[in-house]
Amino acid sequence: MRSEMRLRSLFLLSLAAALSSAFVISPPHMWTKLILTHHWPTTFCSMEHCHPNISYWTLHGLWPDKGILCNSSWHFDPSEIEDLLPDMEKSWPDLLNPASVEFWKYEWHKHGTCAAKAATLNSQHKYFSKALELYHKVDLDSILKKFDIIPSDKYYKFSQIEGVIENFYGVKPKIQCVHPSKNADFQILGQIEICFHPDFTLLDCEKEFTLETISKADWDILNLMGVDKPSGFSVCDHDTPVYYPPLHTTTLTY
């Protein structure tokens, strides 16, 4: 117990020290939350019919909570993040087309151009490097393993997974699952969001989207995320067992 408390304290101190100089005062009408989104490659590829050889949580994106496609004239230029590419390829891979930059281009156009309203994220290099920095500081994959949440053929209680994340980071995550069918007796762990204030300090994530907080334009993102589809990611049900599939699983069928 003492070592676990020490690990959490070291994490929080490290995160605070690394990000303390990045305080941001948000101008009016700007986003108020950043969502660091991780996805589990096995679950993602069971839906998209790709074949990952990755057994760790990868970065899906860093998303501000307001706006999409904020500056369509600001084109993605991979030469601006050339020094980041080795880490991008490992931590933020395109699971569908590993040799392509299209995934990063898409994330920049949809989310990066909106995040860039903040001075700390107002270039492609700042945006992608900050996403990678937060991903490594959070180190979700290692923390889940540390507390014995590992891919397995057994089912977990939702409260086990949520409890580990909430207790360690001190904030509520948003955990999303795939629901194979309406009356399925299990759900499949697929995506985990950790949220931040504009100054990059940790923040509780909202559990659910609501009609009041979603603009008409934002439905595009929700559709792409599969939130409104039975086979897509949606907030996990608290009472349904959670399957965290190992890399080489054959039981994911829809």
Side-chain angles (χ1 to χ4, degrees):
M1 177 65 70
R2 184 173 297 174
S3 63
E4 292 174 359
M5 291 177 66
R6 183 172 179 272
L7 178 64
R8 180 170 181 258
S9 297
L10 288 173
F11 164 79
L12 293 174
L13 286 172
S14 174
L15 187 65
L19 304 178
S20 60
S21 63
F23 182 75
V24 179
I25 299 176
S26 300
H29 310 301
M30 201 187 84
W31 50 265
T32 58
K33 176 174 67 176
L34 283 171
I35 304 165
L36 185 73
T37 307
H38 309 71
H39 56 190
W40 182 239
T42 301
T43 302
F44 175 84
C45 283
S46 71
M47 300 161 63
E48 299 295 334
H49 308 294
C50 45
H51 302 283
N53 190 27
I54 299 175
S55 57
Y56 53 87
W57 286 84
T58 60
L59 185 56
H60 188 171
L62 183 64
W63 305 339
D65 64 339
K66 295 178 183 176
I68 58 171
L69 291 171
C70 292
N71 187 349
S72 59
S73 65
W74 196 345
H75 300 300
F76 175 71
D77 182 358
S79 69
E80 294 189 16
I81 57 169
E82 190 171 356
D83 62 312
L84 304 176
L85 292 180
D87 194 6
M88 297 277 288
E89 291 168 358
K90 180 178 180 180
S91 303
W92 201 340
D94 185 336
L95 297 173
L96 293 173
N97 300 292
S100 171
V101 300
E102 287 301 310
F103 180 36
W104 305 327
K105 177 181 178 181
Y106 169 81
E107 289 295 310
W108 169 252
H109 286 163
K110 278 284 185 180
H111 306 293
T113 57
C114 300
K117 291 181 178 181
T120 50
L121 299 171
N122 65 359
S123 72
Q124 291 180 42
H125 195 277
K126 287 181 182 179
Y127 172 72
F128 286 105
S129 63
K130 180 57 70 174
L132 290 168
E133 178 186 346
L134 295 175
Y135 169 80
H136 290 302
K137 288 293 181 181
V138 166
D139 198 10
L140 177 65
D141 192 76
S142 294
I143 298 308
L144 291 175
K145 290 176 180 175
K146 172 71 177 178
F147 293 94
D148 297 320
I149 304 296
I150 57 176
S152 173
D153 289 330
K154 71 175 184 179
Y155 294 161
Y156 291 94
K157 292 181 179 179
F158 175 81
S159 59
Q160 289 177 271
I161 300 171
E162 183 182 52
V164 161
I165 297 172
E166 187 172 346
N167 291 336
F168 185 80
Y169 298 109
V171 292
K172 289 184 178 293
K174 186 164 83 173
I175 304 175
Q176 296 176 315
C177 291
V178 176
H179 302 266
S181 66
K182 186 175 182 180
N183 297 313
D185 57 2
F186 69 97
Q187 55 191 337
I188 304 162
L189 185 62
Q191 190 156 273
I192 296 177
E193 298 177 359
I194 305 290
C195 298
F196 295 84
H197 290 282
D199 66 353
F200 308 115
T201 55
L202 290 162
L203 168 70
D204 283 347
C205 290
E206 294 177 357
K207 288 290 185 176
E208 301 178 57
F209 293 105
T210 65
L211 292 177
E212 290 74 22
T213 60
I214 300 174
S215 70
K216 184 175 180 181
D218 287 335
W219 281 110
D220 184 31
I221 286 180
L222 297 186
N223 289 333
L224 289 167
M225 291 169 58
V227 171
D228 63 336
K229 300 176 183 178
S231 60
F233 293 131
S234 59
V235 175
C236 300
D237 182 83
H238 285 221
D239 300 319
T240 303
V242 179
Y243 179 46
Y244 183 6
L247 177 59
H248 299 294
T249 182
T250 58
T251 58
L252 296 183
T253 56
Y254 306 107

